[in-house]
Amino acid sequence: MKLNISCATKVYPIEVDVEELSNNVAESEATSAQEDSTISTSTVDAGKISTFGSLKQQICSLCNISPTALKIVHRGRILMGDNSTPLSSFNFKENDKLLILGKPPATATDIGWKLLVDFERKHAMDISKTYARNENDLTQLEKNFLKDPERRGYIKGMDKRLKGYTENCMKLLETLDSLQINNDNTDEEQVQRNREKRKFLVDGLQDALNKNDKLVARLTDYLNRCEHPEDAL
């Protein structure tokens, strides 16, 4: 039987099986629907759709709806039932329309999560590229291709770059700490996701600072060798 899934401005026709199910088949499909925690935004082959659970799973996938927020309206009535409830219980007719209500998964709409993702996109790559450039330039400097006074000038410039890198990372840590990632309306699960995401970003910046400290130590050591070449003998 064909049903038409109406979600926002789109309609998705799907094939369902409304035949009576044996208990074993119903329980098997219900378990599958409960265990599948990954929601895709594209149409998937869900196989035989014959229980309420498998129908909800397919609708969440098609419409990018959070399972906890999903409501299915049929002829003005919100459908209710366990995942094992057979579709034959709902008296569907060929080409019936199901109106879908709900919202996307929390991570797709949560303001705090969006702030963290935007921060990562804006800064993470730049931090990584700047470190790589500084590390490469310091390595070239240590090969002693330059002679004074050019070398002295390059050492001074490198020192300024490394200090600037440290200051930038510290400012980013302050910015990250000031982001309002949770509020009274954020559910507990999303609160935990946001905290873990921020910790991941904080750890990344702290790691960048630690690596930069090693570059500073290398530059200091190189400067000492330049000023006291006899100590290197």
Side-chain angles (χ1 to χ4, degrees):
M1 174 185 292
K2 185 176 80 172
L3 296 178
N4 294 299
I5 308 302
S6 177
C7 182
T9 60
K10 296 183 178 180
V11 176
Y12 302 95
I14 64 171
E15 290 292 331
V16 300
D17 187 347
V18 295
E19 297 294 329
E20 292 287 348
L21 295 176
S22 67
N23 289 336
N24 289 340
V25 173
E27 290 175 0
S28 175
E29 292 197 4
T31 301
S32 175
Q34 290 172 335
E35 291 178 348
D36 187 356
S37 59
T38 302
I39 302 302
S40 170
T41 57
S42 59
T43 303
V44 296
D45 182 6
K48 188 176 182 180
I49 302 173
S50 53
T51 64
F52 193 42
S54 58
L55 176 65
K56 290 190 294 183
Q57 179 183 346
Q58 178 72 335
I59 289 173
C60 286
S61 177
L62 286 171
C63 302
N64 191 29
I65 297 292
S66 170
T68 58
L70 175 65
K71 289 183 174 59
I72 305 173
V73 181
H74 177 237
R75 298 179 185 174
R77 182 173 64 90
I78 296 177
L79 299 184
M80 305 291 290
D82 296 331
N83 284 338
S84 60
T85 301
L87 295 185
S88 57
S89 302
F90 298 114
N91 297 317
F92 291 138
K93 304 297 182 183
E94 184 73 21
N95 283 319
D96 266 359
K97 178 185 288 187
L98 301 183
L99 177 63
I100 307 306
L101 305 176
K103 60 182 180 180
T107 53
T109 58
D110 182 73
I111 295 176
W113 180 266
K114 185 177 185 302
L115 287 173
L116 293 167
V117 170
D118 288 346
F119 179 94
E120 183 177 28
R121 289 173 178 169
K122 184 177 181 181
H123 300 294
M125 185 60 69
D126 286 343
I127 288 293
S128 178
K129 287 182 177 179
T130 301
Y131 171 81
R133 184 166 56 250
N134 289 344
E135 199 279 334
N136 178 72
D137 290 350
L138 178 57
T139 298
Q140 295 302 313
L141 177 64
E142 290 170 326
K143 293 179 179 179
N144 279 325
F145 292 140
L146 296 177
K147 302 300 179 182
D148 290 337
E150 290 83 5
R151 181 173 60 180
R152 294 284 181 174
Y154 202 91
I155 291 174
K156 184 177 180 179
M158 178 60 67
D159 181 65
K160 183 177 180 180
R161 286 165 59 182
L162 296 182
K163 288 180 179 177
Y165 185 88
T166 296
E167 291 174 1
N168 185 42
C169 287
M170 294 300 296
K171 288 179 180 178
L172 289 177
L173 282 171
E174 292 176 1
T175 299
L176 193 54
D177 184 62
S178 68
L179 293 180
Q180 299 298 316
I181 61 172
N182 295 313
N183 55 48
D184 293 340
N185 296 321
T186 309
D187 63 61
E188 186 175 343
E189 184 177 354
Q190 187 62 42
V191 166
Q192 184 62 26
R193 287 197 197 98
N194 290 349
R195 286 174 177 169
E196 290 174 355
K197 182 68 171 179
R198 176 149 63 185
K199 184 179 185 304
F200 170 79
L201 295 174
V202 167
D203 289 346
L205 286 170
Q206 290 177 337
D207 181 61
L209 283 168
N210 291 336
K211 292 193 297 185
N212 190 65
D213 285 345
K214 293 179 181 179
L215 296 187
V216 172
R218 282 171 55 185
L219 182 64
T220 300
D221 180 66
Y222 180 72
L223 178 59
N224 288 335
R225 284 187 278 118
C226 290
E227 293 178 341
H228 307 284
E230 67 279 4
D231 293 343
L233 298 178

PDB file of all heavy atoms in Angstrom, residues 43-71:
ATOM      1  N   THR A  43      16.671   9.689   1.746  1.00  0.00           N
ATOM      2  CA  THR A  43      15.819   8.515   1.729  1.00  0.00           C
ATOM      3  C   THR A  43      16.655   7.257   1.876  1.00  0.00           C
ATOM      4  O   THR A  43      17.687   7.106   1.241  1.00  0.00           O
ATOM      5  CB  THR A  43      15.039   8.447   0.407  1.00  0.00           C
ATOM      6  OG1 THR A  43      14.296   9.647   0.267  1.00  0.00           O
ATOM      7  CG2 THR A  43      14.104   7.260   0.401  1.00  0.00           C
ATOM      8  N   VAL A  44      16.213   6.346   2.715  1.00  0.00           N
ATOM      9  CA  VAL A  44      16.929   5.095   2.915  1.00  0.00           C
ATOM     10  C   VAL A  44      15.996   3.944   2.639  1.00  0.00           C
ATOM     11  O   VAL A  44      14.776   4.062   2.708  1.00  0.00           O
ATOM     12  CB  VAL A  44      17.461   4.979   4.368  1.00  0.00           C
ATOM     13  CG1 VAL A  44      18.479   6.051   4.645  1.00  0.00           C
ATOM     14  CG2 VAL A  44      16.329   5.055   5.377  1.00  0.00           C
ATOM     15  N   ASP A  45      16.587   2.805   2.332  1.00  0.00           N
ATOM     16  CA  ASP A  45      15.800   1.609   2.100  1.00  0.00           C
ATOM     17  C   ASP A  45      15.569   0.932   3.438  1.00  0.00           C
ATOM     18  O   ASP A  45      16.420   0.238   3.964  1.00  0.00           O
ATOM     19  CB  ASP A  45      16.551   0.673   1.149  1.00  0.00           C
ATOM     20  CG  ASP A  45      15.740  -0.586   0.844  1.00  0.00           C
ATOM     21  OD1 ASP A  45      14.574  -0.648   1.280  1.00  0.00           O
ATOM     22  OD2 ASP A  45      16.278  -1.481   0.173  1.00  0.00           O
ATOM     23  N   ALA A  46      14.415   1.154   4.006  1.00  0.00           N
ATOM     24  CA  ALA A  46      14.137   0.625   5.335  1.00  0.00           C
ATOM     25  C   ALA A  46      13.600  -0.792   5.282  1.00  0.00           C
ATOM     26  O   ALA A  46      13.289  -1.385   6.301  1.00  0.00           O
ATOM     27  CB  ALA A  46      13.130   1.527   6.048  1.00  0.00           C
ATOM     28  N   GLY A  47      13.491  -1.351   4.068  1.00  0.00           N
ATOM     29  CA  GLY A  47      12.958  -2.693   3.955  1.00  0.00           C
ATOM     30  C   GLY A  47      11.454  -2.681   4.148  1.00  0.00           C
ATOM     31  O   GLY A  47      10.764  -1.742   3.785  1.00  0.00           O
ATOM     32  N   LYS A  48      10.958  -3.708   4.753  1.00  0.00           N
ATOM     33  CA  LYS A  48       9.518  -3.864   4.938  1.00  0.00           C
ATOM     34  C   LYS A  48       9.022  -2.967   6.069  1.00  0.00           C
ATOM     35  O   LYS A  48       9.446  -3.088   7.211  1.00  0.00           O
ATOM     36  CB  LYS A  48       9.208  -5.328   5.252  1.00  0.00           C
ATOM     37  CG  LYS A  48       7.732  -5.657   5.283  1.00  0.00           C
ATOM     38  CD  LYS A  48       7.561  -7.147   5.511  1.00  0.00           C
ATOM     39  CE  LYS A  48       6.083  -7.535   5.508  1.00  0.00           C
ATOM     40  NZ  LYS A  48       5.902  -8.984   5.735  1.00  0.00           N
ATOM     41  N   ILE A  49       8.115  -2.044   5.741  1.00  0.00           N
ATOM     42  CA  ILE A  49       7.551  -1.132   6.739  1.00  0.00           C
ATOM     43  C   ILE A  49       6.177  -1.659   7.118  1.00  0.00           C
ATOM     44  O   ILE A  49       5.207  -1.483   6.378  1.00  0.00           O
ATOM     45  CB  ILE A  49       7.446   0.297   6.185  1.00  0.00           C
ATOM     46  CG1 ILE A  49       8.820   0.794   5.735  1.00  0.00           C
ATOM     47  CG2 ILE A  49       6.866   1.243   7.228  1.00  0.00           C
ATOM     48  CD1 ILE A  49       8.786   2.127   5.036  1.00  0.00           C
ATOM     49  N   SER A  50       6.093  -2.299   8.256  1.00  0.00           N
ATOM     50  CA  SER A  50       4.831  -2.925   8.635  1.00  0.00           C
ATOM     51  C   SER A  50       4.446  -2.673  10.088  1.00  0.00           C
ATOM     52  O   SER A  50       3.380  -3.093  10.523  1.00  0.00           O
ATOM     53  CB  SER A  50       4.901  -4.436   8.380  1.00  0.00           C
ATOM     54  OG  SER A  50       6.031  -4.993   9.018  1.00  0.00           O
ATOM     55  N   THR A  51       5.317  -1.984  10.837  1.00  0.00           N
ATOM     56  CA  THR A  51       4.992  -1.647  12.223  1.00  0.00           C
ATOM     57  C   THR A  51       5.087  -0.137  12.410  1.00  0.00           C
ATOM     58  O   THR A  51       5.693   0.574  11.600  1.00  0.00           O
ATOM     59  CB  THR A  51       5.963  -2.322  13.207  1.00  0.00           C
ATOM     60  OG1 THR A  51       7.280  -1.804  12.987  1.00  0.00           O
ATOM     61  CG2 THR A  51       5.963  -3.828  13.042  1.00  0.00           C
ATOM     62  N   PHE A  52       4.511   0.336  13.490  1.00  0.00           N
ATOM     63  CA  PHE A  52       4.552   1.768  13.787  1.00  0.00           C
ATOM     64  C   PHE A  52       5.995   2.229  13.992  1.00  0.00           C
ATOM     65  O   PHE A  52       6.381   3.324  13.581  1.00  0.00           O
ATOM     66  CB  PHE A  52       3.706   2.048  15.027  1.00  0.00           C
ATOM     67  CG  PHE A  52       3.418   3.502  15.249  1.00  0.00           C
ATOM     68  CD1 PHE A  52       3.077   4.336  14.196  1.00  0.00           C
ATOM     69  CD2 PHE A  52       3.470   4.043  16.528  1.00  0.00           C
ATOM     70  CE1 PHE A  52       2.797   5.681  14.405  1.00  0.00           C
ATOM     71  CE2 PHE A  52       3.190   5.379  16.748  1.00  0.00           C
ATOM     72  CZ  PHE A  52       2.857   6.211  15.685  1.00  0.00           C
ATOM     73  N   GLY A  53       6.802   1.364  14.603  1.00  0.00           N
ATOM     74  CA  GLY A  53       8.206   1.712  14.825  1.00  0.00           C
ATOM     75  C   GLY A  53       8.976   1.884  13.531  1.00  0.00           C
ATOM     76  O   GLY A  53       9.742   2.838  13.368  1.00  0.00           O
ATOM     77  N   SER A  54       8.788   0.959  12.589  1.00  0.00           N
ATOM     78  CA  SER A  54       9.509   1.059  11.316  1.00  0.00           C
ATOM     79  C   SER A  54       9.002   2.235  10.486  1.00  0.00           C
ATOM     80  O   SER A  54       9.761   2.858   9.742  1.00  0.00           O
ATOM     81  CB  SER A  54       9.391  -0.246  10.527  1.00  0.00           C
ATOM     82  OG  SER A  54       8.043  -0.582  10.276  1.00  0.00           O
ATOM     83  N   LEU A  55       7.718   2.566  10.626  1.00  0.00           N
ATOM     84  CA  LEU A  55       7.170   3.735   9.931  1.00  0.00           C
ATOM     85  C   LEU A  55       7.793   5.017  10.479  1.00  0.00           C
ATOM     86  O   LEU A  55       8.219   5.894   9.714  1.00  0.00           O
ATOM     87  CB  LEU A  55       5.650   3.780  10.092  1.00  0.00           C
ATOM     88  CG  LEU A  55       4.955   5.015   9.480  1.00  0.00           C
ATOM     89  CD1 LEU A  55       5.112   5.039   7.966  1.00  0.00           C
ATOM     90  CD2 LEU A  55       3.473   5.043   9.869  1.00  0.00           C
ATOM     91  N   LYS A  56       7.874   5.126  11.798  1.00  0.00           N
ATOM     92  CA  LYS A  56       8.476   6.319  12.407  1.00  0.00           C
ATOM     93  C   LYS A  56       9.943   6.451  12.015  1.00  0.00           C
ATOM     94  O   LYS A  56      10.435   7.553  11.748  1.00  0.00           O
ATOM     95  CB  LYS A  56       8.336   6.258  13.933  1.00  0.00           C
ATOM     96  CG  LYS A  56       6.907   6.429  14.429  1.00  0.00           C
ATOM     97  CD  LYS A  56       6.853   6.616  15.936  1.00  0.00           C
ATOM     98  CE  LYS A  56       7.302   5.377  16.671  1.00  0.00           C
ATOM     99  NZ  LYS A  56       7.182   5.545  18.147  1.00  0.00           N
ATOM    100  N   GLN A  57      10.628   5.326  11.987  1.00  0.00           N
ATOM    101  CA  GLN A  57      12.043   5.337  11.613  1.00  0.00           C
ATOM    102  C   GLN A  57      12.227   5.883  10.201  1.00  0.00           C
ATOM    103  O   GLN A  57      13.101   6.718   9.943  1.00  0.00           O
ATOM    104  CB  GLN A  57      12.609   3.924  11.709  1.00  0.00           C
ATOM    105  CG  GLN A  57      14.078   3.809  11.328  1.00  0.00           C
ATOM    106  CD  GLN A  57      14.556   2.367  11.388  1.00  0.00           C
ATOM    107  OE1 GLN A  57      13.892   1.499  11.947  1.00  0.00           O
ATOM    108  NE2 GLN A  57      15.702   2.110  10.800  1.00  0.00           N
ATOM    109  N   GLN A  58      11.388   5.435   9.279  1.00  0.00           N
ATOM    110  CA  GLN A  58      11.488   5.889   7.895  1.00  0.00           C
ATOM    111  C   GLN A  58      11.129   7.369   7.774  1.00  0.00           C
ATOM    112  O   GLN A  58      11.783   8.123   7.050  1.00  0.00           O
ATOM    113  CB  GLN A  58      10.561   5.049   7.010  1.00  0.00           C
ATOM    114  CG  GLN A  58      10.541   5.455   5.542  1.00  0.00           C
ATOM    115  CD  GLN A  58      11.814   5.079   4.800  1.00  0.00           C
ATOM    116  OE1 GLN A  58      12.869   4.946   5.405  1.00  0.00           O
ATOM    117  NE2 GLN A  58      11.712   4.916   3.502  1.00  0.00           N
ATOM    118  N   ILE A  59      10.111   7.796   8.497  1.00  0.00           N
ATOM    119  CA  ILE A  59       9.695   9.198   8.433  1.00  0.00           C
ATOM    120  C   ILE A  59      10.778  10.112   8.999  1.00  0.00           C
ATOM    121  O   ILE A  59      11.080  11.170   8.431  1.00  0.00           O
ATOM    122  CB  ILE A  59       8.363   9.391   9.189  1.00  0.00           C
ATOM    123  CG1 ILE A  59       7.223   8.741   8.399  1.00  0.00           C
ATOM    124  CG2 ILE A  59       8.075  10.872   9.416  1.00  0.00           C
ATOM    125  CD1 ILE A  59       5.897   8.735   9.126  1.00  0.00           C
ATOM    126  N   CYS A  60      11.383   9.724  10.113  1.00  0.00           N
ATOM    127  CA  CYS A  60      12.465  10.528  10.696  1.00  0.00           C
ATOM    128  C   CYS A  60      13.617  10.675   9.714  1.00  0.00           C
ATOM    129  O   CYS A  60      14.236  11.739   9.606  1.00  0.00           O
ATOM    130  CB  CYS A  60      12.957   9.891  11.993  1.00  0.00           C
ATOM    131  SG  CYS A  60      11.827  10.073  13.390  1.00  0.00           S
ATOM    132  N   SER A  61      13.901   9.605   8.988  1.00  0.00           N
ATOM    133  CA  SER A  61      14.979   9.633   8.006  1.00  0.00           C
ATOM    134  C   SER A  61      14.638  10.539   6.831  1.00  0.00           C
ATOM    135  O   SER A  61      15.452  11.349   6.393  1.00  0.00           O
ATOM    136  CB  SER A  61      15.263   8.212   7.517  1.00  0.00           C
ATOM    137  OG  SER A  61      16.245   8.212   6.510  1.00  0.00           O
ATOM    138  N   LEU A  62      13.421  10.426   6.332  1.00  0.00           N
ATOM    139  CA  LEU A  62      13.006  11.219   5.176  1.00  0.00           C
ATOM    140  C   LEU A  62      12.931  12.710   5.496  1.00  0.00           C
ATOM    141  O   LEU A  62      13.353  13.551   4.703  1.00  0.00           O
ATOM    142  CB  LEU A  62      11.638  10.748   4.677  1.00  0.00           C
ATOM    143  CG  LEU A  62      11.572   9.422   3.925  1.00  0.00           C
ATOM    144  CD1 LEU A  62      10.117   9.025   3.706  1.00  0.00           C
ATOM    145  CD2 LEU A  62      12.298   9.513   2.593  1.00  0.00           C
ATOM    146  N   CYS A  63      12.392  13.031   6.658  1.00  0.00           N
ATOM    147  CA  CYS A  63      12.075  14.427   6.983  1.00  0.00           C
ATOM    148  C   CYS A  63      13.080  15.082   7.923  1.00  0.00           C
ATOM    149  O   CYS A  63      12.918  16.256   8.268  1.00  0.00           O
ATOM    150  CB  CYS A  63      10.679  14.505   7.607  1.00  0.00           C
ATOM    151  SG  CYS A  63       9.367  13.845   6.554  1.00  0.00           S
ATOM    152  N   ASN A  64      14.104  14.334   8.340  1.00  0.00           N
ATOM    153  CA  ASN A  64      15.087  14.849   9.302  1.00  0.00           C
ATOM    154  C   ASN A  64      14.393  15.371  10.559  1.00  0.00           C
ATOM    155  O   ASN A  64      14.567  16.516  10.979  1.00  0.00           O
ATOM    156  CB  ASN A  64      15.942  15.957   8.677  1.00  0.00           C
ATOM    157  CG  ASN A  64      17.135  16.313   9.558  1.00  0.00           C
ATOM    158  OD1 ASN A  64      17.648  15.467  10.294  1.00  0.00           O
ATOM    159  ND2 ASN A  64      17.576  17.560   9.489  1.00  0.00           N
ATOM    160  N   ILE A  65      13.592  14.510  11.147  1.00  0.00           N
ATOM    161  CA  ILE A  65      12.838  14.847  12.350  1.00  0.00           C
ATOM    162  C   ILE A  65      13.414  14.075  13.535  1.00  0.00           C
ATOM    163  O   ILE A  65      13.755  12.898  13.415  1.00  0.00           O
ATOM    164  CB  ILE A  65      11.345  14.482  12.184  1.00  0.00           C
ATOM    165  CG1 ILE A  65      10.712  15.302  11.058  1.00  0.00           C
ATOM    166  CG2 ILE A  65      10.580  14.699  13.484  1.00  0.00           C
ATOM    167  CD1 ILE A  65      10.591  16.770  11.342  1.00  0.00           C
ATOM    168  N   SER A  66      13.525  14.739  14.669  1.00  0.00           N
ATOM    169  CA  SER A  66      13.962  14.059  15.883  1.00  0.00           C
ATOM    170  C   SER A  66      12.895  13.056  16.314  1.00  0.00           C
ATOM    171  O   SER A  66      11.707  13.401  16.379  1.00  0.00           O
ATOM    172  CB  SER A  66      14.190  15.075  17.000  1.00  0.00           C
ATOM    173  OG  SER A  66      14.385  14.420  18.236  1.00  0.00           O
ATOM    174  N   PRO A  67      13.266  11.814  16.616  1.00  0.00           N
ATOM    175  CA  PRO A  67      12.273  10.808  17.035  1.00  0.00           C
ATOM    176  C   PRO A  67      11.457  11.247  18.243  1.00  0.00           C
ATOM    177  O   PRO A  67      10.276  10.926  18.355  1.00  0.00           O
ATOM    178  CB  PRO A  67      13.132   9.580  17.355  1.00  0.00           C
ATOM    179  CG  PRO A  67      14.367   9.759  16.543  1.00  0.00           C
ATOM    180  CD  PRO A  67      14.621  11.240  16.518  1.00  0.00           C
ATOM    181  N   THR A  68      12.074  11.999  19.149  1.00  0.00           N
ATOM    182  CA  THR A  68      11.363  12.416  20.359  1.00  0.00           C
ATOM    183  C   THR A  68      10.361  13.537  20.090  1.00  0.00           C
ATOM    184  O   THR A  68       9.479  13.794  20.912  1.00  0.00           O
ATOM    185  CB  THR A  68      12.363  12.889  21.427  1.00  0.00           C
ATOM    186  OG1 THR A  68      13.147  13.968  20.895  1.00  0.00           O
ATOM    187  CG2 THR A  68      13.288  11.756  21.842  1.00  0.00           C
ATOM    188  N   ALA A  69      10.505  14.216  18.950  1.00  0.00           N
ATOM    189  CA  ALA A  69       9.604  15.335  18.633  1.00  0.00           C
ATOM    190  C   ALA A  69       8.581  14.980  17.562  1.00  0.00           C
ATOM    191  O   ALA A  69       7.724  15.788  17.220  1.00  0.00           O
ATOM    192  CB  ALA A  69      10.425  16.540  18.173  1.00  0.00           C
ATOM    193  N   LEU A  70       8.655  13.768  17.044  1.00  0.00           N
ATOM    194  CA  LEU A  70       7.816  13.371  15.911  1.00  0.00           C
ATOM    195  C   LEU A  70       6.347  13.204  16.291  1.00  0.00           C
ATOM    196  O   LEU A  70       6.018  12.572  17.290  1.00  0.00           O
ATOM    197  CB  LEU A  70       8.340  12.051  15.329  1.00  0.00           C
ATOM    198  CG  LEU A  70       7.509  11.411  14.215  1.00  0.00           C
ATOM    199  CD1 LEU A  70       7.496  12.300  12.973  1.00  0.00           C
ATOM    200  CD2 LEU A  70       8.052  10.021  13.884  1.00  0.00           C
ATOM    201  N   LYS A  71       5.468  13.775  15.461  1.00  0.00           N
ATOM    202  CA  LYS A  71       4.025  13.551  15.565  1.00  0.00           C
ATOM    203  C   LYS A  71       3.501  13.249  14.165  1.00  0.00           C
ATOM    204  O   LYS A  71       3.823  13.955  13.210  1.00  0.00           O
ATOM    205  CB  LYS A  71       3.304  14.770  16.152  1.00  0.00           C
ATOM    206  CG  LYS A  71       3.556  14.994  17.636  1.00  0.00           C
ATOM    207  CD  LYS A  71       2.757  16.172  18.158  1.00  0.00           C
ATOM    208  CE  LYS A  71       2.897  16.314  19.673  1.00  0.00           C
ATOM    209  NZ  LYS A  71       4.298  16.510  20.087  1.00  0.00           N
TER     210      LYS A  71
END
